[in-house]
Amino acid sequence: MVWSDNKIKPWASSGGITPFDEKLVNPASLDLRMSEFVARPITVANGWCDANQAVRYGDKEAMKTLWGEVQRFEELILYPGEPVLMASMERIKIPDNACGLLFSKSTFGRCLVEHAHAGFFDPGFDGTGTFEFFHVGKRPITFKPGDRVVQLVLLDMVNMPSQLYGETGRYQGQVLPTAPRGW
């Protein structure tokens, strides 16, 4: 079952979302804001990176060639065709008996900025969200820290999982835009 605002507010205000602002709560979702951190892809003039191989085989050196260093920004201009990794301003603590789905905010979708939809939070996840955005429009778009960019939808699990994300997940505790860590 999808959580309503009546279930989201008490969870979020009791430490589920930090910092929590009640204005972010919608009838069946919670808006997440972008932090002031971004990672841009590394452009290679000659050669290419086999990202599939890097991720599949856990080649950490090859994975480092996908994304540049995380940088702080006050205003981010996203150019047509450009992908970026962004982090949520909020730390998210998914309950052990729930999971979360991320969806793009319709405003950014209408500006032709797509979330890559790698947005799933397993039971027990604790950390900031990493958003993978790709600009499919024809004009640059500007982002600022604090912009509401995605919606978190929470769902109850039918039963408790045998393992929580904290026991198995590679991104537990992340606080910045996080590049792939392998499978």
Side-chain angles (χ1 to χ4, degrees), residues 45 50 76 99 107 119 136-137 140 157 165 167 175 178 182:
D50 184 346
L76 174 71
C99 63
T107 299
V136 298
M157 301 287 293
Y165 189 81
E167 301 167 45
V175 294
T178 305

Side-chain angles (χ1 to χ4, degrees), residues 37-180:
F37 298 104
V38 65
R40 293 183 187 262
I42 293 174
T43 304
V44 178
N46 296 314
W48 52 283
C49 173
D50 184 346
N52 212 11
Q53 174 140 345
V55 172
R56 180 169 291 118
Y57 298 108
D59 183 344
K60 294 187 187 314
E61 290 307 309
M63 283 190 265
K64 288 179 186 175
T65 67
L66 299 174
W67 295 97
E69 294 295 318
V70 172
Q71 298 176 348
R72 180 171 276 156
F73 70 93
E74 292 180 19
E75 181 176 271
L76 174 71
I77 298 173
L78 188 59
Y79 294 95
E82 183 180 18
V84 292
L85 294 180
M86 297 179 189
S88 66
M89 181 182 289
E90 295 81 13
R91 183 179 188 104
I92 305 150
K93 293 183 181 180
I94 302 293
D96 296 349
N97 61 349
C99 63
L101 299 170
L102 280 183
F103 295 95
S104 300
K105 292 288 292 175
S106 60
T107 299
F108 287 105
R110 292 172 186 164
C111 291
L112 301 175
V113 175
E114 296 283 333
H115 179 253
H117 298 291
F120 184 82
F121 293 107
D122 279 296
F125 173 84
D126 182 359
T128 60
T130 292
F131 316 134
E132 308 85 3
F133 281 114
F134 186 73
H135 187 2
V136 298
K138 296 193 179 203
R139 289 187 245 166
I141 184 170
T142 303
F143 289 100
K144 294 187 178 171
D147 283 349
R148 298 176 183 195
V149 291
V150 294
Q151 297 169 250
L152 174 63
V153 175
L154 293 152
L155 301 125
D156 283 322
M157 301 287 293
V158 173
N159 51 40
M160 289 292 289
S162 59
Q163 288 188 314
L164 296 174
Y165 189 81
E167 301 167 45
T168 63
R170 290 182 175 87
Y171 303 99
Q172 186 76 337
Q174 69 185 10
V175 294
L176 294 170
T178 305

